[in-house]
Amino acid sequence: MPERELFAHSRSPQSGCRHRLEDHLRGSAALARAFAEAFGAGEVAEYLALVHDVGKGCCAWQDRLVFHAEPMGKPVGIPHKEAGTVLAVRTVGRQLAAVVQGHHGGLPDQDKIKDVLAELRGAGQDADRAREATGAVAQVVPEILRDDRILPPAWLAGLESPHRRALALDVFTRMVFSCVVDADYLDTAAHFAGAKPRVGVRTDMGELLKRFERRRARLLVRRAASPVDELRERVYEQALTAATGMPGMYVLHVPTGGAKTIAAGGFALRHAAEHGLGRVVFAVPYISITQQNAEVYRDLLDSPEGGEDGPVVLEHHSSVELDEGGGAGAWARLAAENWDAPVVVTTTVQLFQSLFARKPSAMRKLHRLAGSVIVLDEVQALPDRLLIPILSVLRDLVEHFGASVVLASATQPSFWSLAQLEGLSRRGMVEDVTGLFEALRRVRYEWRLGAEATWESIAGEIASEGGDRVLTIVNTTRDSARLHRLLTGVGDGGVRVAAPVWHLSTRMTAEHRREVIRHVRGELAAGRPVHVVSTSLIEAGVDVDFPRVYRAWAPAEALQQAAGRCNRDGRLLEGGTVVVFRPVDGGVPKDLSYKAAMDASAEFFGPDASAPDDLDALGLYYEKRWALQGTDGRSMGEGIQELRRRWDFPAVADEFQMIDNRYAQSVVVIRPGKSDEERDIIESDIALLRGRFPSGPGPLRRLQPHMATLPRHEVAAALRAGLAEPVIGDLVMWRGYYDSVRGLDADDPEDRGGYVF
């Protein structure tokens, strides 16, 4: 190729300059190396980032950029991954070459790498372009050509078991891929913004711990005294003491109401400060807890007195899929979250779906887990059908990537009875778990499990006997809407209780749920009448305290978690009341693991058996529950392990689904009553996401409070009916009806006849 300046990207709207290919490759390589040093893979990641866009060096790609993509605002449309893939195979091996081949479309399987190599050994157009590009780029970035191979870390080569080594290489590839794509995105976004890459500065965890302790002390002074305060303080002190232990897998087994959130935060910050760990990631099963815990940690950590540093706590629960096809959304992936904050509060779905994904937008944040404290709150909610791969990856993060993992729950599953944690030290934080449970027992159970239990009968009992402050938890969004109607006098069988009745489900926006929870807490604190009907999102960790709780029949851990919302502060001398009912017309999930949990619960818990907070019964329950699902591990994810050992990344991503895809689509809602200014801000962020140039993760972060979740078939129907419109990826903007109480009510949509099913 004649001497000609090579470019990686079109002109920046800020600087007016194109992005030089040499600058992009070296800039991405430097960032990738810095990220991967945390787990001993700096040289590997640096080289893969250095060669990831080498294919852009051919004349055809350069001409297409200048004369087509730039003036028309469209993608170049010429493959550019293959040249770098060949270089990667030569230097780091075929498995890790998947990082380069997949840096746009996602990690491929090994057959794809073999096909690319076979094609490029020939004399076709793609092979010619790859050779031409390599020669041109080598003139300005000569270090892409190496005579020596880059070896993997010694720990990886030293694993004796072929099965363990294959699984470890799967995680290693994912982490390196994360470093490379995050570096690529950051360097690209910086070019278009006319700025330096947005890389968070390492935070002094010791200073954060001091701030946490100082504000916690002030918080305790302001709170009304509770009979359980002494026990909560004991839990906190024991967690801080445990934090001085070596990195590893820790267990925080504390009854509901034991101030687990604060104890976990204190442990994580002190553990990070003691061992030089750079980040704390809190993962919880429900968005409602994400919101609550993020608020707690923001109050304790953000905006220091007189300080000028930015926010410490990043709240991330958006599950928008951004790796969708081209057009104006070609830059959408740059809006993906990369967890560049010292404290991240996210969902377990977001965490594990990303760990087993293959697409860049989902995976760019994974490298932040290396050298971090990962707190998994409410671990009883991890799905049985995925336990084997989840525990396997957690063990690798602890043993090979410098992470410490905390398993926190009032209903700790017997994970160490499974082979994936065999031989791994179990580090407990609380000294006398049994004694703590006895001291914090604050409720009595009543049971309504006969055929006479219906929604109408339960609504009638709540209205006549429940009192003026009642929480009712059900299993599905449809059941929650139905019971809410009954308690507000709508439809046949309605009873209309005297107190205001509030509603909570994922069909409401995150902001709406937060407002309801805040209002309910205020009413409870003031002793005013208040009723709440909710799905299970309220029962695990949400800090509310009702004298009476109704819980639809569910697995034992859910029953105990629901009890944690009853007499939480122990102020009722005679204890609170938890009524467990089994409505004959109630809905429940249909999968095998849920059925096994329900069957095991029926065997060990009930009016003639144990209470759900009996630790011995819970241990037997978990053993029975897992045994009911078979002994070969297939129903608990062993098939995914086999795919991981073959480095079949697409198949793993397809098989590993934390939640059913039918219930996984996010919609942005502008709620009725928003001011013109508020509406304009939301619409502006939507416009930024749809825009021609990358926006970074800012707009998605700001839109999170305005998102609700719907089944995909409902979103598709709304799109066809003109009640929603696409934004980017699978995110849509809702333009239809939103109920001020129940949100996107499945039984009361706007213009239902306009839907085409």
Side-chain angles (χ1 to χ4, degrees):
M1 178 186 288
E3 296 230 350
R4 170 185 183 180
E5 195 163 27
L6 303 177
F7 300 106
H9 301 111
S10 55
R11 296 184 188 277
S12 162
Q14 303 300 320
S15 68
C17 298
R18 295 189 181 103
H19 199 184
R20 294 199 315 156
L21 183 56
E22 174 186 358
D23 293 341
H24 178 52
L25 295 180
R26 289 209 169 101
S28 299
L31 288 170
R33 182 181 187 108
F35 296 152
E37 292 287 6
F39 53 96
E43 190 176 9
V44 171
E46 178 184 42
Y47 182 77
L48 291 171
L50 191 70
V51 302
H52 80 283
D53 271 355
V54 165
K56 292 182 176 181
C58 69
C59 287
W61 198 95
Q62 292 291 312
D63 289 344
R64 186 83 170 171
L65 172 72
V66 174
F67 300 115
H68 172 79
E70 189 173 272
M72 300 182 70
K74 294 184 176 180
V76 171
I78 293 178
H80 67 271
K81 305 182 294 292
E82 285 69 23
T85 300
V86 172
L87 292 169
V89 170
R90 295 174 187 166
T91 305
V92 299
R94 195 176 69 204
Q95 292 89 344
L96 286 166
V99 170
V100 175
Q101 182 62 31
H103 77 270
H104 279 308
L107 286 169
D109 58 27
Q110 288 298 296
D111 287 341
K112 174 64 177 177
I113 303 298
K114 293 176 184 177
D115 291 344
V116 168
L117 293 177
E119 185 176 353
L120 296 188
R121 279 195 291 266
Q125 183 182 65
D126 289 344
D128 291 340
R129 285 176 175 172
R131 285 189 284 267
E132 176 198 346
T134 301
V137 175
Q139 293 181 39
V140 291
V141 189
E143 57 267 38
I144 67 171
L145 302 178
R146 294 182 55 140
D147 294 328
D148 60 324
R149 287 179 65 87
I150 300 174
L151 299 178
W155 65 262
L156 187 58
L159 291 174
E160 295 182 1
S161 165
H163 288 296
R164 287 284 300 120
R165 188 162 57 249
L167 291 171
L169 183 55
D170 167 87
V171 183
F172 183 77
T173 303
R174 294 173 185 277
M175 295 292 273
V176 172
F177 182 71
S178 168
C179 294
V180 171
V181 296
D182 194 25
D184 178 20
Y185 288 7
L186 287 170
D187 192 73
T188 300
H191 161 69
F192 284 103
K196 292 182 178 179
R198 184 178 59 86
V199 180
V201 178
R202 190 176 179 89
T203 302
D204 185 333
M205 288 295 182
E207 287 301 313
L208 280 189
L209 175 61
K210 291 177 184 176
R211 188 186 306 169
F212 184 92
E213 293 264 54
R214 189 167 60 247
R215 294 188 182 181
R216 173 180 172 272
R218 289 207 298 262
L219 177 66
L220 292 178
V221 169
R222 292 198 301 267
R223 289 185 60 172
S226 159
V228 299
D229 284 347
E230 182 181 346
L231 293 172
R232 290 170 174 168
E233 187 64 23
R234 188 194 311 167
V235 169
Y236 183 76
E237 291 299 329
Q238 290 181 7
L240 283 191
T241 300
T244 62
M246 294 301 294
M249 188 87 77
Y250 284 81
V251 171
L252 179 57
H253 193 178
V254 177
T256 55
K260 180 162 44 66
T261 299
I262 299 293
F267 169 90
L269 290 169
R270 184 171 187 184
H271 192 67
E274 289 274 345
H275 299 289
L277 305 180
R279 181 168 287 97
V280 176
V281 178
F282 296 97
V284 295
Y286 303 114
I287 293 175
S288 54
I289 321 175
T290 309
Q291 296 168 313
Q292 172 188 275
N293 290 6
E295 279 189 26
V296 170
Y297 293 134
R298 272 195 292 265
D299 288 344
L300 292 168
L301 292 170
D302 274 355
S303 304
E305 304 88 338
E308 297 181 356
D309 55 332
V312 170
V313 179
L314 169 66
E315 179 183 348
H316 180 216
H317 47 69
S318 167
S319 58
V320 179
E321 170 59 68
L322 292 170
D323 288 286
E324 300 292 331
W331 296 117
R333 293 185 299 272
L334 300 187
E337 187 55 75
N338 72 340
W339 289 358
D340 59 348
V343 176
V344 177
V345 183
T346 189
T347 62
T348 47
V349 171
Q350 180 64 237
L351 173 65
F352 289 111
Q353 207 63 57
S354 299
L355 272 165
F356 292 91
R358 62 179 289 259
K359 295 295 185 71
S361 68
M363 299 177 69
R364 66 178 294 193
K365 57 187 170 290
L366 292 186
H367 66 90
R368 309 287 185 180
L369 298 176
S372 293
V373 184
I374 305 167
V375 179
L376 300 178
D377 202 359
E378 310 297 351
V379 291
Q380 79 284 345
L382 292 175
D384 290 0
R385 57 191 169 77
L386 300 173
L387 268 186
I388 289 175
I390 284 175
L391 295 178
S392 171
V393 165
L394 289 176
R395 181 169 191 158
D396 272 328
L397 289 174
V398 167
E399 292 186 331
H400 306 307
F401 295 90
S404 278
V405 172
V406 177
L407 306 177
S409 176
T411 49
Q412 282 284 344
S414 308
F415 289 142
W416 267 262
S417 67
L418 300 174
Q420 284 64 44
L421 297 189
E422 184 179 354
L424 184 67
S425 296
R426 183 186 188 276
R427 303 173 184 271
M429 293 189 205
V430 177
E431 296 168 1
D432 181 11
V433 174
T434 301
L436 192 61
F437 269 75
E438 290 292 336
L440 280 174
R441 184 167 285 121
R442 306 176 302 281
V443 305
R444 62 181 179 274
Y445 290 89
E446 296 180 4
W447 306 84
R448 313 279 190 270
L449 305 181
E452 70 280 359
T454 64
W455 289 119
E456 286 75 12
S457 71
I458 293 300
E461 178 179 329
I462 292 171
S464 61
E465 303 176 29
D468 59 5
R469 286 174 293 159
V470 178
L471 168 64
T472 306
I473 305 172
V474 300
N475 293 318
T476 69
T477 58
R478 193 172 295 277
D479 284 350
S480 66
R482 178 178 182 181
L483 183 58
H484 185 271
R485 282 195 177 83
L486 289 172
L487 291 174
T488 52
V490 177
D492 295 337
V495 293
R496 185 174 288 278
V497 300
V501 185
W502 298 88
H503 178 267
L504 286 167
S505 84
T506 52
R507 287 176 171 269
M508 300 158 61
T509 68
E511 178 187 58
H512 191 180
R513 293 193 301 270
R514 181 182 288 135
E515 290 172 1
V516 170
I517 291 171
R518 186 180 296 124
H519 174 79
V520 167
R521 284 186 184 137
E523 297 297 275
L524 290 169
R528 288 190 285 266
V530 60
H531 282 235
V532 177
V533 177
S534 176
T535 59
S536 59
L537 65 82
I538 199 172
E539 73 187 1
V542 177
D543 191 1
V544 290
D545 189 355
F546 285 82
R548 192 173 182 90
V549 170
Y550 284 77
R551 182 51 167 106
W553 178 248
E557 67 275 13
L559 303 181
Q560 188 187 146
Q561 294 293 339
R565 308 322 112 196
C566 185
N567 194 24
R568 188 173 180 83
D569 289 327
R571 292 192 171 93
L572 300 177
L573 296 180
E574 296 182 359
T577 301
V578 177
V579 179
V580 180
F581 65 98
R582 182 161 49 202
V584 294
D585 45 354
V588 293
K590 300 295 192 292
D591 63 274
L592 172 64
S593 60
Y594 196 88
K595 183 180 184 303
M598 295 287 265
D599 289 346
S601 296
E603 180 172 339
F604 293 106
F605 305 99
D608 300 318
S610 300
D613 55 3
D614 185 310
L615 294 183
D616 292 335
L618 277 169
L620 295 171
Y621 156 76
Y622 278 113
E623 291 179 15
K624 179 72 172 184
R625 167 174 157 176
W626 293 337
L628 287 172
Q629 297 175 66
T631 58
D632 61 357
R634 306 298 301 182
S635 62
M636 297 177 70
E638 181 56 42
I640 294 173
Q641 294 292 84
E642 294 174 6
L643 295 171
R644 290 181 59 216
R645 294 184 191 103
R646 299 203 298 265
W647 309 305
D648 190 342
F649 299 102
V652 169
D654 288 342
E655 291 295 319
F656 190 97
Q657 298 296 329
M658 284 285 284
I659 55 177
D660 193 318
N661 267 338
R662 292 173 297 173
Y663 302 94
Q665 193 154 359
S666 297
V667 298
V668 175
V669 179
I670 301 179
R671 290 163 57 200
K674 288 288 182 187
S675 68
D676 290 343
E677 182 180 1
E678 290 171 322
R679 295 178 69 89
D680 288 346
I681 290 172
I682 296 172
E683 295 282 9
S684 175
D685 279 328
I686 293 293
L688 284 172
L689 290 172
R690 287 171 169 161
R692 177 177 174 182
F693 297 105
S695 61
L700 275 179
R701 289 181 181 179
R702 293 189 293 271
L703 287 172
Q704 281 184 137
H706 310 293
M707 291 185 193
T709 303
L710 284 181
R712 288 184 177 272
H713 74 272
E714 287 190 27
V715 175
L719 287 166
R720 292 193 295 270
L723 299 178
E725 56 192 44
V727 181
I728 55 169
D730 68 349
L731 180 66
V732 304
M733 185 76 182
W734 186 260
R735 300 295 188 187
Y737 175 69
Y738 185 91
D739 187 86
S740 61
V741 177
R742 291 184 292 271
L744 299 170
D745 190 341
D747 292 328
D748 190 23
E750 178 181 328
D751 189 21
R752 192 170 181 84
Y755 286 72
V756 180
F757 290 95

